[in-house]
Amino acid sequence: MQYERASASERRYLPPAVAVSVVAFALRPPVDAERGGDAERGGDADTSDTPTIWIPLVRRTRAPFLGDWALPGGPTEWDETLADTALRTLRAAARREPGHLEQLYSFGGVERSAEAQRLVTIAYWALYGEHQLDAEPETSATPAPATAQQQRPRRWDDPLPPAPALAAPQHAIDERGLAQPAGENVAWFSVDRLPALAFDHAEIIDHALSRLRAKTEYAAVAYRFLGPEFTLSRLRAVTEAVLGESVDPANFRRQALARGGLVDTGKLESGGAHRPAKLYRFTEPS
Amino acid sequence: MQYERASASERRYLPPAVAVSVVAFALRPPVDAERGGDAERGGDADTSDTPTIWIPLVRRTRAPFLGDWALPGGPTEWDETLADTALRTLRAAARREPGHLEQLYSFGGVERSAEAQRLVTIAYWALYGEHQLDAEPETSATPAPATAQQQRPRRWDDPLPPAPALAAPQHAIDERGLAQPAGENVAWFSVDRLPALAFDHAEIIDHALSRLRAKTEYAAVAYRFLGPEFTLSRLRAVTEAVLGESVDPANFRRQALARGGLVDTGKLESGGAHRPAKLYRFTEPS
DNA sequence: GCAAAAGTGTTACCGGTACACCCATGG
DNA sequence: CCATGGGTGTACCGGTAACACTTTTGC
C-alpha cells in the first residue's frame, strides 16, 4: 500500500508483500475462432469434440509487464485467510463463484517481481462447474439480460457466453491489488493458446495443470467441472479433456462406480438418438 | 522487526509477516528412556528394532506459548528465497545440513498467532541422512570433542548423540526470529511422543508426516535417511519405519531394484553373523 | 552344524486393458 | 431396421503379495 515509494535500497527494511494468484480452470467445447482464431487444433488426443480447458486472465494496466496477462489475484487483506483472498480476487475477476479451491504452491523467489518490494505469492487452483458458468455474473445487479443467444437453459456443450463484456461497471484487481475498472481487462484463454504472461505466471499455470491431471487420475475431481447431475459419458469426456487422452467407456464406467461417491439419481437423460443414460450425483464419501 | 509495538488496532495497516517453519525428519534406533523415558512402545508395526522418526524442536522463550516447543523457523530476510530461510533456520536450530528440503504447505489463517501482527507461514519438510547426523555440528568451530561414547565411526543403528548440548555458544531462532542463546532450547523428539506444541505446529507436523509416508510409497525418498552407501535391508528398515508396517524382504528387493536409481557399488558389508550384503548407491535418474 | 540374514524362484491373485457383445432410443 | 451411444461380459496381461527355497557368513 504505502510501499509504492520504496526504493531498491529501502527494500531490505520492508517485509515481503503476501499475494495470492489463482489458476481457475473451466471447460468449454472446442470453439475455434474465439481469440487468436484458427491455427492447429491442439494435436492432442483425438479428433472428436472433447472440450478444452480455459482459464481467466487479467490484463495488466501498469508496469511491470504492462499489457501482458496475469492470473487473477492480489495481496491479502489483514482479516482474510489466504483462501479468502483467493476467492475474493477470483470473484472480482471472473465474477463467478468457483466450485473448488485448493492451495497449490508458494513462490518466494527474491527477484520474482521487478518492483522494489519483495513479493511472496501463494498460488491456488480452482475449478468452475458448468452451473457456476451458467449463472449470471455476480456483482452485476442487473437481472437476466436475456439476449438472443441465451434463451433456453444452457446445455453443457453449448458455447460459453464469451467472457462477458457487460454494461454494468465491473472491477478487476491487478497484481498489486489496486482496484480499477476492468470490463475488457478480463478474458478467458484456452490453456494451450495462452498469451504473453506476466511474472512467473506461465510456470504457475504449468504447475496447476499437472496437479489437475495428477488429481483426476487418483481422486474424484473431474465431476466438479459438471453440474450437480451428469451422465457417465459427460464425466468421461471431462476426464479425457483433462488428461488429453481417450478413455475406454466400459472400463471408465466400472472404475468410476467402483471408486465410490457416485449415486444413481434414478433419472435418465433422454434426447439423443440412442439409449438414455442414467444421471448420477456425487456425494463426498467423507 | 519494528512491528513489535503494533497494537491490535494497528494490525490492519501492517502487511503480514512471512515466516518459514521446518519439519526435519531423522531416524533413530528405538532408544527408550530418552525424554519422557518409558511408556508404551508405540504399538505400531512389529516388535522388532525398527528405528523411529525424530524431529528437532525449539523451546519458546517468550510469549505466546512460552515454554512450549515449536518448529525451527523464522521470518524471511529480504534477500532470501523461502528455501534459503528454511535452510538457515534449520541449520541454526539443528546445526546440521539437511539432505533434502521440500515445500509442504502455506498456513495463512487470520488468527494463527496470538500476536498483533498477522503471520503467514510457509512450511517445509526436510530429511537428515545418517551422515549428516554423524557430522560434527557446524557453527561450533571446536574440532572433534572425541568424548568417550563416540570413538569409532558411528554405525546406523548406534544411538544418536543426544541432541548435543555443547560448550560453545549456539543460537536458535524462535518463531519471531530473534536470535538468542539456545543450547538447551533445542531438542529432538520422537514423532509419536511429542511435547506441547506452539501455534498450529502439531497440525503442520501431521501434514508433513503424511506427506513423507505418501512419498515413500511412490517415490524414492527413503534412501535419503541413509548415508551414501547402504544395503537393501537398511533401506527396507527405513521404509518400514516410515510406513509403520513390515515389508516383505524379497519383494522389496525386486521392487526397489526395478524402480531404478540404485547402483551396485560392488562392495559388500560383512560383519553380521550371516551372508554379507551388497552395498548400493543412489543416482538421480534425471 | 546351526542360526540368521542375503538373495532367488514360483505361484496365486487382483486390477487394469482391450474388445466383443447386447440394450434402448431416434429417425 | 439402422445408426448411435449406453451398458455388460470376459479374456488377457502385468504387477504385487505370499512364501518356499538356496546361499553365505559368524559362532
Side-chain angles (χ1 to χ4, degrees):
Chain A
M1 326 270 175
Q2 71 268 49
Y3 303 103
E4 296 296 327
R5 301 180 303 265
S7 73
S9 64
E10 294 177 70
R11 190 172 180 175
R12 55 174 309 168
Y13 302 115
L14 293 176
V18 177
V20 164
S21 291
V22 189
V23 185
F25 296 113
L27 245 47
R28 283 193 189 188
V31 255
D32 287 279
E34 168 85 29
R35 171 176 297 276
D38 47 297
E40 31 75 69
R41 220 11 297 2
D44 269 18
D46 36 1
T47 60
S48 73
D49 53 339
T50 51
T52 53
I53 305 175
W54 295 68
I55 59 174
L57 295 176
V58 181
R59 192 201 294 270
R60 286 188 57 79
T61 56
R62 53 163 59 208
F65 297 100
L66 201 165
D68 285 354
W69 294 83
L71 291 170
T76 29
E77 296 296 331
W78 71 280
D79 57 350
E80 280 179 326
T81 66
L82 296 172
D84 284 342
T85 309
L87 280 177
R88 173 177 57 82
T89 55
L90 183 54
R91 264 195 297 255
R95 298 191 328 284
R96 287 169 168 89
E97 195 76 23
H100 183 64
L101 184 72
E102 202 173 321
Q103 199 185 99
L104 181 63
Y105 200 77
S106 298
F107 298 84
V110 180
E111 291 299 339
R112 282 193 68 244
S113 163
E115 307 221 341
Q117 191 185 359
R118 166 112 179 266
L119 183 62
V120 172
T121 297
I122 291 96
Y124 277 77
W125 65 281
L127 288 189
Y128 278 110
E130 52 172 66
H131 50 295
Q132 279 120 10
L133 295 172
D134 291 347
E136 289 310 318
E138 301 171 346
T139 323
S140 76
T142 54
T147 47
Q149 76 271 20
Q150 197 67 18
Q151 288 295 24
R152 64 185 165 88
R154 211 186 122 264
R155 251 183 56 89
W156 161 77
D157 46 0
D158 285 342
L160 190 127
L166 312 191
Q170 287 92 37
H171 289 72
I173 296 192
D174 81 343
E175 177 85 11
R176 312 279 336 144
L178 302 168
Q180 57 188 111
E184 284 310 303
N185 287 327
V186 178
W188 289 74
F189 292 88
S190 167
V191 290
D192 39 44
R193 247 179 298 154
L194 290 176
L197 289 165
F199 306 103
D200 49 3
H201 287 188
E203 184 191 346
I204 296 179
I205 293 172
D206 278 350
H207 206 126
L209 257 176
S210 47
R211 181 88 133 232
L212 171 65
R213 296 209 171 95
K215 273 214 117 176
T216 43
E217 291 197 68
Y218 71 85
V221 170
Y223 78 95
R224 294 185 187 272
F225 276 117
L226 299 171
E229 299 187 349
F230 48 86
T231 67
L232 286 179
S233 314
R234 302 237 301 264
L235 188 60
R236 181 175 54 86
V238 171
T239 306
E240 287 177 334
V242 170
L243 299 184
E245 57 189 12
S246 48
V247 176
D248 183 288
N251 297 328
F252 178 81
R253 154 178 303 276
R254 271 185 294 258
Q255 289 160 20
L257 293 176
R259 189 145 49 193
L262 289 176
V263 184
D264 190 339
T265 62
K267 304 181 205 164
L268 295 179
E269 188 196 61
S270 353
H274 51 79
R275 174 173 170 178
K278 291 183 185 173
L279 281 169
Y280 289 87
R281 271 187 306 105
F282 207 93
T283 45
E284 290 302 333
S286 68
Chain B
M1 327 266 175
Q2 71 268 49
Y3 303 104
E4 296 297 328
R5 301 181 303 262
S7 74
S9 63
E10 294 179 71
R11 192 173 180 174
R12 55 175 308 171
Y13 302 114
L14 294 174
V18 177
V20 163
S21 290
V22 189
V23 184
F25 297 113
L27 245 47
R28 284 192 188 189
V31 256
D32 288 279
E34 167 87 27
R35 170 176 298 275
D38 45 298
E40 30 74 69
R41 208 39 270 10
D44 269 20
D46 37 2
T47 59
S48 73
D49 53 340
T50 51
T52 52
I53 304 175
W54 294 68
I55 58 175
L57 295 175
V58 180
R59 193 202 293 271
R60 285 189 56 80
T61 56
R62 54 162 59 207
F65 296 101
L66 201 166
D68 284 355
W69 295 82
L71 291 170
T76 29
E77 297 297 331
W78 70 281
D79 57 351
E80 281 179 326
T81 65
L82 296 172
D84 284 342
T85 310
L87 280 176
R88 172 176 57 79
T89 55
L90 183 55
R91 264 195 297 255
R95 299 194 323 289
R96 288 169 168 89
E97 195 75 22
H100 184 65
L101 185 72
E102 203 173 317
Q103 198 185 98
L104 181 62
Y105 199 78
S106 298
F107 297 84
V110 180
E111 292 299 339
R112 284 193 66 242
S113 163
E115 307 221 341
Q117 191 185 359
R118 166 109 181 268
L119 183 63
V120 172
T121 297
I122 291 96
Y124 277 77
W125 66 279
L127 288 189
Y128 278 111
E130 51 172 65
H131 49 296
Q132 280 120 11
L133 296 171
D134 293 346
E136 288 311 317
E138 301 170 347
T139 322
S140 75
T142 54
T147 47
Q149 75 273 18
Q150 199 67 20
Q151 287 296 25
R152 65 184 163 87
R154 210 186 122 265
R155 251 182 56 87
W156 161 76
D157 45 0
D158 286 342
L160 188 130
L166 313 189
Q170 289 91 35
H171 287 73
I173 295 194
D174 82 342
E175 177 84 12
R176 311 279 337 144
L178 303 169
Q180 59 187 111
E184 284 310 305
N185 286 327
V186 179
W188 288 74
F189 292 87
S190 166
V191 289
D192 40 44
R193 246 178 300 153
L194 290 175
L197 289 165
F199 307 102
D200 50 3
H201 287 186
E203 184 191 346
I204 295 179
I205 292 171
D206 278 350
H207 206 126
L209 258 176
S210 47
R211 181 90 132 229
L212 171 65
R213 295 207 172 95
K215 272 214 117 175
T216 44
E217 292 197 67
Y218 72 86
V221 170
Y223 77 95
R224 294 185 188 272
F225 276 118
L226 300 171
E229 298 186 351
F230 48 86
T231 66
L232 286 179
S233 312
R234 302 238 301 265
L235 188 60
R236 181 175 53 85
V238 171
T239 306
E240 286 176 336
V242 170
L243 299 184
E245 57 189 13
S246 48
V247 176
D248 183 287
N251 297 329
F252 178 81
R253 155 177 302 277
R254 271 184 294 257
Q255 289 160 21
L257 292 176
R259 187 144 50 194
L262 288 176
V263 184
D264 190 339
T265 63
K267 303 182 205 165
L268 295 179
E269 188 196 62
S270 352
H274 51 78
R275 173 174 173 177
K278 291 182 184 173
L279 282 170
Y280 290 86
R281 270 186 307 104
F282 207 92
T283 45
E284 291 302 333
S286 69

